[in-house]
Amino acid sequence: MKQIINNLRQNTLENITLFLVLLLTFLLPISKKPVPLTIILLAVFTIILLIKKKSFNKIKLTGIHIGLIVLYILYAIGIIYSENIKAGLFDIEIKMSFLALPLIMAALTQFINKDFYNKILSAFVVGMTVSVIYSFIRASYNYFQNRDISEFLYAKLSSAFHPSYFSMYLNFAIIILVYKIFANQNSYKLSKKIFLSFLVLLFFTTIILVNSKAGILISIISVFILLLQQLFKLKNKLTAISFIILCALFIIFVWSKVPTVKHRFLVSIAALEKYKLEKNINPEEGTVQRIVIWKHSVKAIKEKPLFGYGTGDLHETLDKHFKEGKFFHGITTHLNCHNQYLQTAVCIGITGLMVLLFILIALFYKGFRLKEPIIIFFALIISLHFLFESMLETQAGIIFISFFISLFGILKKENTNSLKAESF
């Protein structure tokens, strides 16, 4: 009887811990506020679970996990040679997930099977759906209050997150859904295929409305590559061809009927052409500003290439170079690198950049080795987003990216290729 009670307690503890994993995944695209507390609770219950089951020896850190932990250690060491210690301490505080989440997920390896892996992906898509619906409800309410159509555009629509982060979440959710439709095309009823296709359309429409140029381009690139992969892989190519045609028609429709999207891209193209001719050191358009920022960032890296300027000294370093280059907009707004690769190199040098690249390459390798497209396209999405934004400098990017990297790091062959199983 005592043994039965102990087993029940352990099972309850395990269920609570795994529920917290799903809750964290669900909350990631909805709100930043409850996420840190959820991680703390997950860490506490994970430790208690390991103590009860006496299974600390089953913690398996993979190369991907070690890469994240080493990246955190390099940022922590970077405080030693930072002048702005306060900024450095804040930075390693928000990057704590680089250390915590790999350890938590490695500890939970023994409890995450292919069905639970599937539930995690489903929880993220459900959370993304809730987030998008709430965003449209909120925008509709505000619109009826002030009759301002801009409530459905840009940061007003993605009020909980910056448009770049919101687009990154949406792009990953789209990949999960599109792959799920193909993986289950012979078992899903037509009604379910239509529903999931509607969600894909809803998410892509949201990316267009928040008007992140990088998000739109990355969405088109990632979905197009996935569709081509499925086109060559499947015997029944009708679904893939239909998706490609529908996506092409939708893009043409958006380009011709949604003036804000077309205008933003045309303005960027015109500004780039003007910059090539005039080499204006104080451009007003965002895309050209990024080019100027990147040039100043590269100059900074060349001065201290090996270990960088320190974890807390990014803004002081860039402001100095902006001042020397008379880039006044950069000085007044204290811009970051708007490129994660450059940002990492400025802060902790080429050493840190190599660790970041190792993590991404290891993700791609694991995805190909396990033949798991979800991992491959997650790595592709974040790698491309890193080109245009410093995605690992705020909670919204750090926790999302470190959580899924840590999850994918523990997966084995028996955990993946599981989207053919029903999950939602």
Side-chain angles (χ1 to χ4, degrees):
M1 188 66 180
K2 186 177 179 181
Q3 183 64 38
I4 293 173
I5 292 172
N6 286 334
N7 289 337
L8 285 173
R9 286 176 178 172
Q10 287 188 4
N11 288 336
T12 301
L13 189 59
E14 181 180 333
N15 290 335
I16 292 173
T17 306
L18 295 180
F19 169 77
L20 287 170
V21 174
L22 295 179
L23 180 63
L24 173 60
T25 316
F26 172 76
L27 291 173
L28 280 174
I30 294 177
S31 175
K32 292 178 282 189
K33 293 180 180 179
V35 167
L37 177 59
T38 307
I39 293 176
I40 292 170
L41 288 173
L42 176 59
V44 170
F45 275 92
T46 300
I47 293 170
I48 296 171
L49 180 61
L50 292 179
I51 292 171
K52 289 288 185 182
K53 286 188 172 284
K54 299 178 181 178
S55 57
F56 280 97
N57 60 327
K58 293 184 179 180
I59 296 176
K60 305 258 185 200
L61 285 171
T62 65
I64 292 174
H65 295 138
I66 293 170
L68 271 178
I69 293 170
V70 169
L71 189 63
Y72 182 79
I73 292 171
L74 288 175
Y75 274 109
I77 292 172
I79 294 178
I80 298 172
Y81 53 94
S82 295
E83 293 184 12
N84 191 338
I85 302 295
K86 184 177 179 181
L89 290 172
F90 175 77
D91 198 50
I92 65 164
E93 180 184 337
I94 64 171
K95 286 183 169 65
M96 185 67 75
S97 295
F98 289 169
L99 180 63
L101 287 174
L103 293 172
I104 290 171
M105 297 311 294
L108 295 178
T109 302
Q110 56 192 301
F111 306 107
I112 296 180
N113 56 29
K114 66 179 182 179
D115 292 329
F116 190 73
Y117 167 64
N118 218 1
K119 288 178 182 178
I120 292 173
L121 296 178
S122 299
F124 180 76
V125 173
V126 173
M128 193 76 255
T129 305
V130 171
S131 182
V132 168
I133 291 172
Y134 171 77
S135 295
F136 277 105
I137 291 173
R138 183 179 179 279
S140 299
Y141 175 81
N142 291 335
Y143 171 75
F144 285 116
Q145 293 293 314
N146 55 34
R147 299 294 172 176
D148 183 0
I149 196 65
S150 68
E151 296 292 345
F152 292 95
L153 301 171
Y154 312 122
K156 285 189 176 182
L157 181 61
S158 61
S159 58
F161 301 95
H162 185 279
S164 296
Y165 297 102
F166 205 53
S167 297
M168 179 171 62
Y169 300 165
L170 286 162
N171 278 326
F172 184 48
I174 287 171
I175 287 297
I176 294 172
L177 286 169
V178 172
Y179 182 65
K180 186 174 180 62
I181 291 168
F182 284 111
N184 296 279
Q185 66 169 320
N186 294 324
S187 58
Y188 274 177
K189 294 180 180 178
L190 180 61
S191 57
K192 185 165 241 183
K193 290 181 183 178
I194 291 173
F195 173 69
L196 297 183
S197 299
F198 168 76
L199 287 183
V200 172
L201 183 62
L202 176 64
F203 291 169
F204 188 60
T205 301
T206 307
I207 293 176
I208 291 168
L209 291 175
V210 299
N211 219 340
S212 166
K213 288 176 289 187
I216 294 170
L217 287 173
I218 292 167
S219 182
I220 293 170
I221 291 168
S222 57
V223 172
F224 181 71
I225 293 173
L226 178 56
L227 291 175
L228 281 181
Q229 184 256 347
Q230 293 297 316
L231 185 62
F232 287 110
K233 176 184 175 183
L234 297 174
K235 293 181 180 179
N236 181 4
K237 303 182 187 302
L238 181 60
T239 305
I241 293 171
S242 300
F243 248 91
I244 291 172
I245 293 172
L246 286 173
C247 287
L249 291 174
F250 186 68
I251 291 167
I252 293 169
F253 172 80
V254 169
W255 184 258
S256 59
K257 299 297 182 181
V258 184
T260 55
V261 174
K262 183 177 181 179
H263 177 71
R264 286 202 76 194
F265 278 98
L266 291 178
V267 167
S268 296
I269 293 169
L272 285 168
E273 292 175 351
K274 183 179 179 182
Y275 177 73
K276 287 179 183 178
L277 295 172
E278 300 178 1
K279 298 296 181 183
N280 181 12
I281 59 175
N282 270 292
E284 296 181 358
E285 198 277 328
T287 303
V288 182
Q289 284 179 354
R290 277 175 167 78
I291 294 174
V292 175
I293 296 167
W294 296 342
K295 286 184 176 180
H296 288 299
S297 300
V298 170
K299 287 180 182 177
I301 293 166
K302 287 179 179 178
E303 291 181 3
K304 291 188 177 181
L306 194 57
F307 297 110
Y309 291 82
T311 304
D313 292 351
L314 175 85
H315 291 294
E316 288 82 359
T317 301
L318 289 184
D319 285 351
K320 173 192 166 190
H321 284 271
F322 293 158
K323 189 174 182 180
E324 290 173 356
K326 298 180 180 180
F327 179 39
F328 302 120
H329 178 72
I331 299 169
T332 56
T333 54
H334 300 290
L335 294 172
N336 64 27
C337 294
H338 281 75
N339 178 298
Q340 187 58 56
Y341 305 108
L342 294 176
Q343 182 119 351
T344 300
V346 170
C347 290
I348 53 176
I350 302 298
T351 307
L353 177 59
M354 290 298 102
V355 174
L356 179 62
L357 292 175
F358 164 78
I359 294 168
L360 295 174
I361 292 168
L363 266 182
F364 277 112
Y365 174 75
K366 186 149 198 174
F368 282 109
R369 184 168 61 85
L370 297 180
K371 297 181 180 179
E372 176 65 330
I374 297 296
I375 301 176
I376 297 169
F377 281 94
F378 174 81
L380 177 65
I381 287 168
I382 64 172
S383 298
L384 291 175
H385 273 283
F386 282 177
L387 290 171
F388 304 103
E389 294 289 349
S390 300
M391 306 301 290
L392 297 177
E393 306 309 313
T394 65
Q395 177 191 315
I398 291 168
I399 296 179
F400 166 77
I401 291 169
S402 57
F403 172 77
F404 279 105
I405 287 177
S406 300
L407 170 66
F408 296 144
I410 68 173
L411 295 183
K412 299 176 183 177
K413 188 69 177 175
E414 59 267 26
N415 300 129
T416 57
N417 298 318
S418 58
L419 287 180
K420 290 183 181 179
E422 291 283 345
S423 59
F424 65 80

